[in-house]
Amino acid sequence: MKRKTFGPVTSQQVAQIAGVSQSAVSRTFTPGASISPATREKVLKAARELGYRPNAIARSLNTARSRIVGVVMSYFDNQFYPQVLEALAQKLDELNYHLLLFVGDRDGNVDRIFDQIMQYRVDGIVLASVSLSIELSEECLAAGIPVVLFNRSEENGVASSVNTDNEAAARQIAAFLLAGEHKRFAYIAGLSDSSVNQARQNGFVNLLKQKGIEDIRVVQGDYDAKITARAASKLFSSPQPPDAIFAANDHMALTVMDVARYEFGLRIPEDVSVIGYDDTGPSGWPSYALTSASQPVDEMVSATIALLMKQIESESIEPEQVVVPGVLVVRHSARRPRSGVVEKDGLSLFQPQEVE
Amino acid sequence: MKRKTFGPVTSQQVAQIAGVSQSAVSRTFTPGASISPATREKVLKAARELGYRPNAIARSLNTARSRIVGVVMSYFDNQFYPQVLEALAQKLDELNYHLLLFVGDRDGNVDRIFDQIMQYRVDGIVLASVSLSIELSEECLAAGIPVVLFNRSEENGVASSVNTDNEAAARQIAAFLLAGEHKRFAYIAGLSDSSVNQARQNGFVNLLKQKGIEDIRVVQGDYDAKITARAASKLFSSPQPPDAIFAANDHMALTVMDVARYEFGLRIPEDVSVIGYDDTGPSGWPSYALTSASQPVDEMVSATIALLMKQIESESIEPEQVVVPGVLVVRHSARRPRSGVVEKDGLSLFQPQEVE
DNA sequence: CTGAAAGCGCTTACAG
DNA sequence: CTGAAAGCGCTTACAG
């Protein structure tokens, strides 16, 4: 029983049919507003008849709350990010927030996107795998718009962030490979200006150096499959190819495995061990069975949303850096050490007595 | 040189600083509006000083155009969809539209989500891997809001849709497997109420029957990795396991390959051939090298957006069903027939002289 | 609890 | 080209 009016139904039209004021209609759809059950019923009935839905855009205009969170994301071919996106959308939805999606430019230039986001007067921003210039960070801070860097951090403490302990996890990976008696180490780096890459590289290299390993080969994979494949080829064709490779993320690690096996006929882990970071979908597939440092998507997303909500509520934003605990999930892509691997909830984890 | 006012800068404030009317400010930021260069400059200068950005929400309210497209998507663990999402967001952005993302419920219930979408007065809706009830389709039609079903279709012709020719492609796959002299055929089905599954199943089964093959095993994978793994196990442990399997999508096909190899020690394609549908990322990874019917993401997304834009422009919506051509990409997961495989742009394609 | 009214930040005829 | 003004569809003090 819908009226064929032009355009969507307005609260005014509902009011007329219900025989009440437009204010009454508005109150009916505002949780907590003072409205008598009788009036409410009349309004709901009329609304149902007309197929009325409150206009969220109009509401936003005078509440100064859009209930929209802007999300900038890149690397959709890396399973980790779609999983994050799905979790973000779902959890925001539960809180009756909505997600406006932007794809980060390849050159990492957020400025143009940033302008778009701001025009929609979003209540908060999540930057996944993207960094933000200090100027823009400060602008958000001044404008009272919370920004959370997801899987990236920023040194000046101007922006909030959610990460795992990249450096500690990378040290653990180094310790794991050492315990597995590997001799020749290589690191496949992500984009060198990415904070997580820096932390992972530092953790890995520093622990090895500390243990007396000086010759660590670092090659750039830049989070890109093709660049990674070339880098891996180069490593494997060198006179002394590595027997232990840590790639800055799973996506690159999988590429390294494919190159090792299908271009060089190497066996994994007999000839070379490969470890990644993210513990995302394909890493658990039997064809790869990648040993990987986990980034728990749900916990990271929950932390992100908790931060966002807290900052949306409060008047002044206190930037906060959250570190979510992860584990080293041991599968079959890397030789296992004699000890230190424990079973837990159906997974094998590396938990040596003492980690430095 | 930002003014520390509370809340974002308004056109009113810019007008005051620039010494012009608020209308002039508005015109400055409305492409094509009549404004003199001199006034325009004054406004731009003031806007820059104050850090002004037009409020898209307020603009939407009186243009009755939000420039937002609502997208509902599921199956984020199937690479095909994130790729689609990325392309959608990018192409919409180029047209200065924006993407409001919703995650489809597991039970396929779009109604609650639909309500949310409509409240934001989106200019259009894309439903990827989700179906829409006829009532809601008709409501959108009446409200003048274009809806495009992506990789799904709907029989009543009420909604627009973009698909590949699922039935023809499935027939081609059957022909390919027959030409490869396979004997025992199985189909791993997606959710049985999904239109693409039905078309793929029909095409596959019908061509085989037409060629005198009666015994075709159909098992449910339901687009779910666990269910698919169980179904595959059952197939392989049966007395007469299939030597040719077509899975309704790549994501299930990869699972089938892993089960075949790692649970049953089968060689692919020597012992069993596996073919998928989507030709998405991991299918090209050497560990799988999956033969698969392609769904060209860019073409499909472009068609979707073209449809959407046409319908947004026009007053009355003419539902349209677009079929995007795909190809059968031949890799190494299925035995190749003696003839019919041609090389093109670095890919091997199945293009027999005649396909029925 | 209820309604009339102001106002959110814009766009866009309208008159000049 | 420009400004004053109405209006987009709501929310929310305010007075009753």
Side-chain angles (χ1 to χ4, degrees), chain A residues 318-349:
Chain A
E318 295 287 326
E320 216 171 303
Q321 276 74 40
V322 175
V323 174
V324 173
V327 291
L328 181 54
V329 179
V330 178
R331 296 200 183 85
H332 306 291
S333 67
R335 233 153 55 210
R336 295 188 182 201
R338 292 186 210 286
S339 71
V341 177
V342 301
E343 300 296 316
K344 200 167 174 181
D345 304 329
L347 288 178
S348 302
L349 308 180

Side-chain angles (χ1 to χ4, degrees), chain B residues 51-310:
Chain B
Y52 172 70
R53 286 193 185 82
N55 183 332
I57 298 280
R59 168 176 288 167
S60 297
L61 194 56
N62 44 31
T63 56
R65 287 264 167 262
S66 60
R67 301 197 80 83
I68 293 178
V69 170
V71 173
V72 184
M73 189 169 273
S74 301
Y75 304 113
F76 283 70
D77 52 348
N78 175 352
Q79 274 253 32
F80 177 63
Y81 289 106
Q83 285 178 359
V84 167
L85 189 58
E86 181 177 24
L88 273 172
Q90 275 178 330
K91 291 189 205 243
L92 284 173
D93 193 64
E94 282 166 15
L95 300 169
N96 199 27
Y97 275 82
H98 300 97
L99 191 164
L100 202 61
L101 176 66
F102 296 84
V103 175
D105 285 9
R106 310 189 170 277
D107 52 13
N109 177 14
V110 213
D111 293 34
R112 196 190 52 78
I113 292 174
F114 191 77
D115 215 68
Q116 306 278 316
I117 296 188
M118 295 300 269
Q119 291 196 9
Y120 276 94
R121 299 297 188 264
V122 296
D123 291 345
I125 298 176
V126 176
L127 299 178
S129 67
V130 176
S131 312
L132 191 59
S133 68
I134 303 196
E135 301 88 65
L136 291 184
S137 300
E138 282 172 343
E139 183 174 346
C140 289
L141 215 54
I145 300 177
V147 179
V148 178
L149 300 181
F150 187 98
N151 203 30
R152 286 292 182 277
S153 60
E154 173 268 322
E155 290 157 2
N156 306 68
V158 188
S160 296
S161 63
V162 174
N163 287 276
T164 45
D165 191 341
N166 293 293
E167 195 155 340
R171 270 187 272 121
Q172 209 182 26
I173 286 170
F176 179 85
L177 289 169
L178 279 173
E181 298 179 357
H182 294 81
K183 300 299 177 202
R184 298 179 305 282
F185 299 84
Y187 176 71
I188 312 271
L191 282 175
S192 50
D193 60 357
S194 119
S195 60
V196 295
N197 175 68
Q198 289 163 10
R200 292 169 193 175
Q201 180 166 342
N202 287 340
F204 186 66
V205 169
N206 289 344
L207 184 83
L208 289 177
K209 289 203 169 156
Q210 204 176 303
K211 296 296 185 182
I213 312 269
E214 286 299 330
D215 183 24
I216 305 151
R217 302 183 58 180
V218 174
V219 295
Q220 290 300 132
D222 288 353
Y223 300 135
D224 178 277
K226 282 192 188 133
I227 297 178
T228 300
R230 274 198 296 274
S233 285
K234 221 169 153 183
L235 279 181
F236 293 128
S237 23
S238 66
Q240 291 271 31
D243 65 350
I245 300 180
F246 170 34
N249 70 16
D250 281 8
H251 197 237
M252 295 193 291
L254 299 181
T255 299
V256 170
M257 289 181 73
D258 277 339
V259 169
R261 285 173 173 161
Y262 296 94
E263 285 183 29
F264 291 86
L266 298 171
R267 293 162 307 157
I268 294 171
E270 293 82 354
D271 300 321
V272 58
S273 288
V274 179
I275 297 188
Y277 205 113
D278 280 345
D279 186 32
T280 192
S283 312
W285 297 351
S287 291
Y288 295 102
L290 183 68
T291 292
S292 177
S294 73
Q295 302 221 84
V297 170
D298 276 343
E299 285 87 330
M300 290 177 78
V301 168
S302 294
T304 302
I305 291 183
L307 260 179
L308 230 37
M309 293 304 139
K310 181 164 52 159

Side-chain angles (χ1 to χ4, degrees), chain A residues 4-116:
Chain A
K4 306 292 176 204
T5 54
F6 189 63
V9 183
T10 69
S11 59
Q12 194 54 255
Q13 295 169 24
V14 176
Q16 204 174 327
I17 300 293
V20 298
S21 72
Q22 183 269 327
S23 318
V25 177
S26 174
R27 289 192 181 104
T28 299
F29 291 95
T30 305
S34 100
I35 186 99
S36 74
T39 311
R40 191 185 154 76
E41 275 318 310
K42 279 195 286 191
V43 171
L44 286 177
K45 181 163 172 288
R48 227 174 296 124
E49 274 177 23
L50 298 177
Y52 171 71
R53 286 195 186 81
N55 183 330
I57 299 280
R59 169 177 289 166
S60 297
L61 193 57
N62 44 31
T63 56
R65 286 266 167 262
S66 60
R67 300 198 80 84
I68 293 177
V69 170
V71 173
V72 184
M73 189 169 274
S74 301
Y75 304 114
F76 282 70
D77 52 348
N78 174 351
Q79 273 254 29
F80 178 64
Y81 289 106
Q83 286 178 0
V84 167
L85 189 57
E86 180 178 26
L88 273 173
Q90 275 178 328
K91 290 188 207 245
L92 283 173
D93 193 64
E94 283 167 16
L95 299 169
N96 199 27
Y97 274 82
H98 301 96
L99 191 162
L100 202 62
L101 177 66
F102 296 83
V103 174
D105 284 9
R106 306 184 175 280
D107 52 12
N109 177 13
V110 214
D111 293 35
R112 198 191 49 80
I113 292 175
F114 191 78
D115 216 66
Q116 305 280 316

